[in-house]
Amino acid sequence: GSSACQAASAAAHQQIRASRAFAAMGISRDSRHKHRATGGRRNIHQKKRKFEMGRPSALCKLGAKRVRPVRCRGGNMKYR
């Protein structure tokens, strides 16, 4: 009875928490996470920078047509 309900509730909370963590994580296009040419690991000595930012894909073919304005470098706009 109630133990099954509590288990289902706990599973739902865990799923929500996981989806929030994924949404909060930034998408970056840096090469600091890669290995060196010699095969060694790089030391990460700076945070993510705005110019290295990546964005979620536009998902063009799903649902109704929707164009999102996106601010780009130099104050220019792209439309996705």
Side-chain angles (χ1 to χ4, degrees):
S2 67
S3 62
C5 183
Q6 285 176 342
S9 177
H13 281 291
Q14 191 174 12
Q15 193 173 13
I16 291 169
R17 212 175 300 121
S19 67
R20 272 199 204 126
F22 182 75
M25 191 167 53
I27 301 172
S28 70
R29 301 179 303 115
D30 64 335
S31 59
R32 278 172 301 200
H33 67 281
K34 295 192 170 187
H35 287 261
R36 298 172 188 269
T38 59
R41 299 304 301 262
R42 281 211 172 88
N43 296 325
I44 297 175
H45 68 283
Q46 70 181 58
K47 294 183 178 180
K48 295 177 182 176
R49 302 291 195 225
K50 173 85 171 173
F51 62 83
E52 297 170 338
M53 181 174 65
R55 289 199 171 86
S57 57
L59 300 172
C60 306
K61 300 294 182 194
L62 301 175
K65 188 165 174 73
R66 183 175 70 186
V67 178
R68 302 172 203 79
V70 173
R71 185 191 180 276
C72 298
R73 197 162 167 97
N76 299 312
M77 298 297 284
K78 282 185 178 178
Y79 300 95
R80 298 187 176 187

